[in-house]
Amino acid sequence: MDLAWVRQHVRQAAGEIGFGLVEQTKLITAASELARNTLVHGGGGQAEIAFLDNGRARGLRLSFVDEGPGIPDIERALTDGYTSGGGLGLGLGGARRLVHEFSIDSRPGEGTRVSVICWAAGPPRPREEVR
């Protein structure tokens, strides 16, 4: 996975769907944070972009998957200010605030999967999953 590739493809996909500039910027920022976490903390991994259409709105689902060490305490990792590296501790929590839907599945020793969804118009009621 390459950060520049992720940003470029997310920007292109968001433009195709009809995201406005502000929505594109939010989604690209979230994607950059999550891709960086996958590379730095997960030792690399995969990014997937899927187009969505629920009949009322079109959107994108971005998934970031790694086989790294996992996150032992997800709630703590989502707390602003917490960092396992040298950053500001805003990555996961900041990404969660920038999207309509956010889910994370991580187990120590088994890796992490983070999926986010953004809708271009008329988003359905946001929901969160933490496992």
Side-chain angles (χ1 to χ4, degrees), residues 56-81:
R56 294 186 335 216
R58 293 172 19 153
L60 292 172
R61 178 179 48 241
L62 310 178
S63 299
F64 300 86
V65 182
D66 68 59
E67 295 179 2
I71 302 170
D73 186 343
I74 293 172
E75 290 302 324
R76 185 171 174 210
L78 288 167
T79 303
D80 286 347

Side-chain angles (χ1 to χ4, degrees), residues 8 19 30 32 39 43 49-50 52-53 56-57 59 73 80 87 96 115 121 126:
Q8 177 185 3
F19 279 71
S32 294
L39 290 167
I49 301 171
L52 305 174
D53 188 336
R56 294 186 335 216
D73 186 343
D80 286 347
R96 179 171 58 173
S115 294

